[in-house]
């Protein structure tokens, strides 16, 4: 499968890893939008949030168990934002489910 994040998870494309476990891989966004900008992805390919179902939602649960650990490791004691872009209108550019963790500064109060 020609998927950028699958290749990153497989180590075929380099990444700045910040966390990994059996289900989850997390690495720094190559174009950070905040002092901390981490992408958290399932090892198993899921195209987007729109593809989550009863058969793969355990991967999403694992991601949300990992997120507080990553936030703590990154020193995000004052809060952070978690975002997933899903599909064309949300400008999803990589079609492997990923959650952006953004923090390290006061973020704008508007989402869009
Ligand atoms: P989205 O637009 O929500 O699909 O987010 C995709 C994100 O992947 C963007 O924030 C990109 O900066 C990021 N990105 C693209 N290629 C890489 C890469 N090789 N390593 C790390 N982040 C990447």
């Amino acid at each position: 499968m020609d998927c950028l994040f699958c290749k990153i998870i497989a180590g075929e494309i380099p990444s700045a890893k910040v966390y990994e476990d059996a289900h989850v891989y997390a690495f720094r966004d190559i174009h950070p939008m905040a002092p901390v900008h981490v992408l958290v992805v399932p090892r198993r390919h899921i195209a987007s949030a729109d593809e989550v179902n009863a058969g793969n939602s355990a991967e999403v649960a694992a991601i949300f168990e990992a997120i507080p650990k990553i936030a703590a490791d990154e020193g995000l004691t004052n809060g952070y934002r978690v975002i997933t872009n899903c599909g064309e209108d949300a400008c999803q550019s990589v079609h492997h489910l990923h959650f952006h963790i953004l923090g390290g500064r006061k973020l704008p109060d508007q989402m869009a």
Side-chain angles (χ1 to χ4, degrees):
M1 186 182 298
D2 190 26
C3 169
L4 173 64
F5 288 174
C6 283
K7 289 177 181 169
I8 284 177
I9 294 161
E12 296 166 12
I13 291 174
S15 64
K17 180 180 75 176
V18 299
Y19 176 89
E20 67 177 330
D21 64 32
H23 297 282
V24 177
Y25 190 82
F27 54 102
R28 298 198 189 283
D29 196 292
I30 203 165
H31 297 302
M33 305 290 285
V36 174
H37 188 171
V38 171
L39 301 174
V40 192
V41 311
R43 289 188 182 277
R44 177 177 169 188
H45 184 87
I46 301 170
S48 76
D50 202 48
E51 301 290 319
V52 175
N53 56 46
N56 62 23
S57 59
E59 316 297 323
V60 181
I63 285 173
F64 276 85
E65 290 177 33
I67 284 172
K69 298 177 193 173
I70 296 165
D73 287 348
E74 294 292 323
L76 299 178
T77 55
N78 207 42
Y80 54 92
R81 183 167 289 160
V82 179
I83 295 173
T84 190
N85 293 319
C86 178
E88 187 71 22
D89 278 0
C91 302
Q92 181 182 3
S93 62
V94 179
H95 295 276
H96 181 127
L97 178 64
H98 53 282
F99 293 85
H100 299 253
I101 301 176
L102 295 157
R105 66 168 165 82
K106 184 77 172 177
L107 299 165
D109 63 0
Q110 290 197 323
M111 293 288 291

